[in-house]
Amino acid sequence: MNERILRVLDFQKVIDRLIQHAGTSLGKDLASKLKPSTNLEEVNQLQEETDEAALVIRLNVPVPLGGIFDIRESLKRAVIGGVLSTSECLDIANTIYGGRQVKDFVEGLDEELPILKGLVESITPLRDLELEIKSCIDDHGHVMDSATEKLRGIRSSIRTHESRVREKLESYTRTKSNMLSDAIITIRNDRYVIPVKHEYRGAIGGIVHDQSASGQTLFMEPKAVVDLNNQLQELYAREKQEIERILRELSHRIAEDEGFLSENIRILASIDFIFARANLGRAMKAARPAMNDQGIIKMQQARHPLINIEDVVANDIEIGRDYTTIVITGPNTGGKTVTLKMVGLCTLMAQSGLQVPALDGCEMAVFEHVFADIGDEQSIEQNLSTFSSHMTNIVDILKHVDDRTLVLFDELGAGTDPQEGAALAMAILDEVVSRRARVIATTHYPELKAYGYNREDVINASMEFDVQTLQPTYRLLIGVPGRSNAFDISKRLGLDEFIIDRAKSHVGIDSKNVENMIAALEKSKVQAEKEYEEAHKILLESEELRKEMEEEWQRFEDKREALYKKAEEKAEKAISKAREEAEIIVSEIRKMKTDAKMKEHEWIEAKKLFDDAQPNLSSKPKESKRNTTSKEELSPGDEIKLLTVNQNGTVIEKVNEKEYLVQVGIMKVKVKRNDLQLIGKPKQTFQKPLATVKGSNYHVPLELDLRGERFEDALLKLEKYVDDAVLAGYPKVFIIHGKGTGALRKGVQDFVKKHPSIASSRQGAAGEGGSGVTVLELR
């Protein structure tokens, strides 16, 4: 899309509204760069994203996008070795936290959101980096005393020296207050001073750092505090160096995770941009359009996106299926140009992934080009008239028109002789229509009122005018050309009847017939719309009734199924009880071997007869989980059903391609594959092997995880673990302490040096956890 079309159709005003709905500077940046796409697949993806966000918004749960900053410039500086400020480091920590909040929010939603959940899945939490920054810098951007032990010591010394300096100076304010302009202690050039009257300069002695505007007050540093102030300045310098060292280390850590941070920022910007599009759609009461590449536009109750929703008149419009061109006729100020811009702007919005202000079920097309010749674009520099300016645009449009083009002509052929202008307008329309473009044109020329009746792909339309109120209604009437209301308006304004009759006598018979035809069409159109609304109302009521009947039928089915299930469960309990009693009787008979000399296979047959006697009480046959004729390969241990006797068993081994040896109860038999149904595979469980301490049942893992432990507790666990590992005979173990601030890692390394059972140690390799793991070689 060229920039001129975006400007003519006021697309930038839509972008300005979109920017207001973005929650972060990252989202606003993406919104400001939004342009329509000409790829159907890409547009559908954008619309799907917007629709998912709209679903979340309908839940009335706000997306937690607060605390996310644009840290891209800071990351670039960190990567090239720059030292970030405290505020930059804090912004990065807050952005990490904000990203994690968004990730948790989206993943916690119950709805199916494949796009949004796929995006947040790629967000890396980076908790360690966030905690490292927050442990050094407070919420106000100040480096805390607890950042390092060295900084704590320096600041403690600073406070001690400041207290001593103040004590010295306070002695001056108490004992020599008459020599001071005010009994206060202040700071000049980062040094503590007191305000001394000019005439007592010599009496106080020391260094003058500043004076008042009148020169009567000197801000002096007495000799007694010069050394203390010098020591204080030295401490300030050491504090500054330590803070710079801390920030340098933090910047280095940030640079290490630059890849993760940049990806997080990209995803968060996309999510904010997606929700901005959805929020704009909600503000406009818009709907998701079904996109196509056949040039079909169909919108019901469509509104101009930039007109207040309380004032705008909604219209139905359709083009591209039964006809490719709409010619709108009618008087000025009737809403023709607004309708033209509404269609063009909604098309650009839909191709940008934005929802359009219309009812659900609307359809929009993806066009390769959208052209518009709207308004008076007269060029003074080129000395072009209105007609010449329009014709220059039209000539350029005709160079690019094809079947994937939407063309909007406003007052086609205006600005020249009416007869020539009308003929030229029809010729231009014929050319554009022949190229199968989608065209909407407005015109004043009465000659074009009959244009749509003579062309197969063209339909007339007009903007309705209320003769009673002498006001346009701004309603678009498809299929009805605009008619002249001059006589009716003149009559209502009081023009004499005989003058109107004389004027009518000057109008040709053809013109009268056309006007009468148009009036009849308007009447038919209004009647058809009224009948359509009534039919639609009846259809909605019928749909509601059908839905209620389906729900009632489903409730009946559910109730009947529940009754069947209850009866079946009751019968199964009775049969189960009978089976238990029969088993007891059979068991007792078996004990009476002298009186019951039946063979084993006879007992099995008797049991089968008992099982076959169980009735099938279910009203619906239960579907088998597996096809009984399946030729799936069976393996030893598989659970099977022997279909010939309806008994469960286990596969022992495969005899050949067609036979298996199976065990059913106490019998082992060869059975054909077709007589077997696979029920399930044996579950396999895998457990990480643990060593056992010699002479005990105590299990020792190969690794010890100390992350999250207090320093003292971690060392106690480490000492016990090493003793157990030595007893277990391990040659090597892994200690997981994490990267963090390095305090725990240093404690582990100090412990290793002192323990007699540890031969050596090393940092974990890339595949073992890196610097977050220490590998111990045991003696």
Side-chain angles (χ1 to χ4, degrees):
M1 305 292 170
N2 61 60
E3 291 296 327
R4 177 185 167 276
I5 297 302
L6 301 181
R7 184 183 71 255
V8 169
L9 295 177
D10 297 324
F11 184 70
Q12 185 57 45
K13 292 182 180 179
V14 175
I15 296 299
D16 292 340
R17 292 192 180 185
L18 177 63
I19 292 172
Q20 294 174 7
H21 288 284
T24 68
S25 59
L26 297 163
K28 294 180 188 294
D29 184 49
L30 286 181
S32 67
K33 297 174 182 177
L34 180 62
K35 291 289 186 293
S37 170
T38 58
N39 182 281
L40 178 60
E41 185 177 346
E42 183 179 347
V43 172
N44 279 328
Q45 174 70 12
L46 292 171
Q47 288 291 350
E48 187 66 33
E49 292 173 353
T50 308
D51 193 53
E52 280 195 13
L55 174 60
V56 176
I57 291 172
R58 285 195 290 271
L59 300 175
N60 289 322
V61 183
V63 186
L65 288 168
I68 296 173
F69 299 91
D70 187 354
I71 58 174
R72 289 174 293 189
E73 290 300 321
S74 299
L75 293 178
K76 289 179 182 177
R77 288 181 49 237
V79 168
I80 63 175
V83 179
L84 304 184
S85 66
T86 54
S87 60
E88 288 177 305
C89 292
L90 192 61
D91 285 349
I92 290 171
N94 288 332
T95 301
I96 293 172
Y97 175 77
R100 196 165 61 252
Q101 291 291 101
V102 172
K103 181 183 178 77
D104 294 342
F105 169 79
V106 174
E107 289 181 343
L109 296 172
D110 295 331
E111 283 68 22
E112 289 291 330
L113 305 167
I115 295 176
L116 290 174
K117 290 189 177 181
L119 281 172
V120 300
E121 188 178 347
S122 300
I123 294 179
T124 307
L126 298 175
R127 292 176 182 271
D128 290 344
L129 178 57
E130 179 197 352
L131 291 174
E132 193 168 340
I133 295 173
K134 289 293 185 73
S135 66
C136 295
I137 303 171
D138 63 19
D139 293 338
H140 303 289
H142 301 301
V143 178
M144 297 184 290
D145 295 0
S146 58
T148 63
E149 289 297 326
K150 184 176 181 181
L151 183 62
R152 188 195 302 274
I154 292 172
R155 285 184 172 170
S156 177
S157 298
I158 288 174
R159 285 188 286 271
T160 300
H161 279 71
E162 286 177 340
S163 178
R164 292 171 60 189
V165 170
R166 284 185 172 277
E167 287 177 4
K168 288 278 187 183
L169 293 178
E170 283 173 357
S171 66
Y172 281 88
T173 60
R174 288 193 304 269
T175 60
K176 299 182 179 182
S177 59
N178 61 315
M179 300 181 184
L180 305 180
S181 299
D182 200 352
I184 61 171
I185 301 170
T186 185
I187 296 175
R188 289 292 187 275
N189 299 326
D190 294 329
R191 299 176 78 88
Y192 286 95
V193 295
I194 52 177
V196 179
K197 294 178 181 178
H198 188 274
E199 58 269 26
Y200 294 109
R201 172 180 180 176
I204 296 294
I207 303 171
V208 177
H209 288 279
D210 197 5
Q211 65 179 8
S212 64
S214 63
Q216 297 302 309
T217 300
L218 302 177
F219 294 94
M220 296 185 63
E221 179 185 2
K223 292 180 180 179
V225 297
V226 170
D227 288 341
L228 288 174
N229 264 334
N230 287 342
Q231 294 172 14
L232 200 54
Q233 291 301 314
E234 183 181 348
L235 289 171
Y236 286 150
R238 288 172 57 193
E239 179 192 31
K240 184 178 179 181
Q241 290 174 356
E242 181 62 13
I243 290 174
E244 186 174 355
R245 187 191 67 78
I246 293 169
L247 293 177
R248 185 177 292 106
E249 285 188 2
L250 288 177
S251 301
H252 179 69
R253 279 282 292 111
I254 290 168
E256 289 179 349
D257 288 332
E258 182 271 336
F260 297 118
L261 289 166
S262 295
E263 180 65 7
N264 287 1
I265 284 297
R266 184 192 67 79
I267 294 169
L268 291 171
S270 297
I271 290 174
D272 185 23
F273 180 38
I274 291 170
F275 275 95
R277 302 201 305 261
N279 277 309
L280 177 64
R282 185 183 192 183
M284 290 183 175
K285 295 185 177 179
R288 175 187 177 178
M291 306 303 300
N292 65 82
D293 56 0
Q294 285 85 47
I296 298 172
I297 297 175
K298 182 180 180 181
M299 292 187 287
Q300 289 185 324
Q301 297 299 291
R303 307 178 304 277
H304 193 289
L306 300 177
I307 299 179
N308 191 304
I309 196 170
E310 303 297 331
D311 302 327
V312 68
V313 175
N315 278 302
D316 298 344
I317 190 161
E318 183 175 357
I319 188 173
R321 186 172 278 113
D322 298 326
Y323 44 85
T324 62
T325 301
I326 300 175
V327 178
I328 306 175
T329 54
N332 281 331
T333 69
K336 298 193 303 296
T337 303
V338 171
T339 301
L340 212 63
K341 284 190 171 184
M342 181 266 289
V343 175
L345 190 53
C346 284
T347 298
L348 297 180
M349 289 172 62
Q351 292 186 216
S352 303
L354 300 175
Q355 297 181 339
V356 296
L359 296 183
D360 287 338
C362 56
E363 297 179 57
M364 299 298 293
V366 175
F367 293 102
E368 191 72 34
H369 300 287
V370 176
F371 294 112
D373 180 54
I374 298 175
D376 183 6
E377 297 195 23
Q378 183 171 240
S379 173
I380 298 175
E381 292 89 350
Q382 298 178 11
N383 195 26
L384 297 176
S385 66
T386 301
F387 175 77
S388 299
S389 176
H390 283 298
M391 197 51 58
T392 299
N393 292 335
I394 291 170
V395 169
D396 185 59
I397 290 171
L398 291 175
K399 293 178 182 178
H400 304 93
V401 169
D402 57 21
D403 60 346
R404 291 202 62 199
T405 304
L406 174 65
V407 185
L408 307 172
F409 290 126
D410 189 29
E411 299 300 341
L412 183 59
T416 186
D417 177 76
Q419 190 172 0
E420 292 182 355
L424 194 57
M426 285 189 282
I428 292 170
L429 285 175
D430 283 340
E431 176 62 22
V432 179
V433 170
S434 68
R435 300 189 192 181
R436 304 296 300 168
R438 304 303 183 261
V439 185
I440 302 178
T442 68
T443 180
H444 273 122
Y445 295 130
E447 290 85 352
L448 267 70
K449 292 179 181 179
Y451 182 81
Y453 294 103
N454 302 325
R455 273 90 176 163
E456 182 179 353
D457 294 326
V458 183
I459 192 169
N460 282 313
S462 61
M463 304 305 297
E464 188 180 54
F465 189 87
D466 191 339
V467 180
Q468 301 299 319
T469 62
L470 304 181
Q471 294 290 331
T473 65
Y474 304 109
R475 290 182 65 244
L476 179 67
L477 303 176
I478 300 289
V480 181
R483 66 188 181 96
S484 174
N485 299 296
F487 294 151
D488 293 332
I489 294 172
S490 300
K491 184 177 181 179
R492 288 191 59 80
L493 291 175
L495 188 64
D496 289 341
E497 192 79 34
F498 75 91
I499 296 176
I500 294 174
D501 292 339
R502 184 181 298 171
K504 288 181 178 179
S505 68
H506 295 309
V507 177
I509 295 176
D510 291 342
S511 297
K512 290 181 181 178
N513 290 338
V514 170
E515 291 298 324
N516 290 336
M517 177 189 70
I518 293 172
L521 284 171
E522 283 185 349
K523 185 177 180 181
S524 300
K525 177 77 172 178
V526 171
Q527 182 65 26
E529 287 182 351
K530 183 179 179 181
E531 292 175 355
Y532 171 79
E533 289 177 359
E534 291 177 355
H536 186 64
K537 183 179 179 181
I538 294 172
L539 176 62
L540 291 178
E541 291 174 352
S542 301
E543 285 290 332
E544 188 67 26
L545 181 60
R546 182 183 65 82
K547 185 178 179 182
E548 290 177 1
M549 291 179 65
E550 288 179 349
E551 290 175 353
E552 189 64 34
W553 178 257
Q554 186 60 45
R555 283 194 290 270
F556 169 74
E557 285 287 327
D558 293 343
K559 187 175 181 180
R560 186 178 71 167
E561 187 65 28
L563 289 173
Y564 273 123
K565 187 176 180 181
K566 186 176 181 181
E568 186 172 343
E569 288 175 352
K570 187 174 181 181
E572 284 181 353
K573 287 180 181 178
I575 293 170
S576 178
K577 183 178 180 181
R579 182 184 287 109
E580 290 175 1
E581 291 174 354
E583 290 287 349
I584 293 171
I585 294 171
V586 171
S587 178
E588 291 176 354
I589 293 173
R590 278 181 170 170
K591 294 177 182 178
M592 302 164 62
K593 294 185 178 180
T594 56
D595 299 326
K597 297 182 178 178
M598 296 175 66
K599 297 181 179 179
E600 188 64 34
H601 68 89
E602 292 176 330
W603 290 113
I604 293 173
E605 290 176 2
K607 188 175 184 299
K608 179 179 182 299
L609 289 173
F610 180 81
D611 291 335
D612 290 343
Q614 179 176 344
N616 184 9
L617 298 174
S618 178
S619 61
K620 298 179 181 179
K622 295 183 179 179
E623 296 181 359
S624 174
K625 293 184 179 179
R626 293 185 179 269
N627 190 339
T628 58
T629 60
S630 172
K631 300 299 182 183
E632 183 176 354
E633 185 75 20
L634 300 178
S635 303
D638 288 351
E639 296 178 11
I640 51 86
K641 175 181 282 188
L642 181 54
L643 301 176
T644 54
V645 296
N646 194 29
Q647 291 294 313
N648 294 346
T650 308
V651 175
I652 297 176
E653 63 179 0
K654 179 178 180 182
V655 179
N656 53 49
E657 292 297 323
K658 297 182 179 180
E659 288 186 328
Y660 286 80
L661 180 63
V662 300
Q663 180 158 355
V664 180
I666 62 173
M667 295 189 302
K668 294 182 180 179
V669 292
K670 289 183 181 179
V671 185
K672 291 183 179 180
R673 176 64 182 88
N674 290 340
D675 294 332
L676 297 176
Q677 177 185 343
L678 178 62
I679 296 177
K681 296 282 187 181
K683 295 183 180 179
Q684 298 181 0
T685 58
F686 298 93
Q687 185 173 3
K688 185 176 179 181
L690 299 175
T692 303
V693 177
K694 297 173 184 177
S696 74
N697 293 323
Y698 182 70
H699 297 286
V700 183
L702 288 172
E703 59 188 32
L704 174 64
D705 192 345
L706 298 176
R707 291 175 295 183
E709 297 284 346
R710 293 176 63 253
F711 187 81
E712 294 80 3
D713 294 341
L715 291 185
L716 289 174
K717 285 189 176 183
L718 176 60
E719 184 176 7
K720 184 177 185 305
Y721 173 75
V722 171
D723 292 342
D724 291 341
V726 171
L727 287 174
Y730 281 172
K732 178 172 64 178
V733 292
F734 299 85
I735 309 300
I736 304 172
H737 43 66
K739 298 178 182 178
T741 60
L744 186 55
R745 178 175 60 222
K746 187 175 183 302
V748 170
Q749 292 170 352
D750 292 341
F751 174 83
V752 167
K753 295 175 183 177
K754 302 174 183 177
H755 202 286
S757 299
I758 300 175
S760 63
S761 66
R762 61 177 175 83
Q763 179 179 299
E768 296 173 332
S771 59
V773 173
T774 297
V775 183
L776 307 183
E777 302 287 346
L778 304 179
R779 300 183 187 278

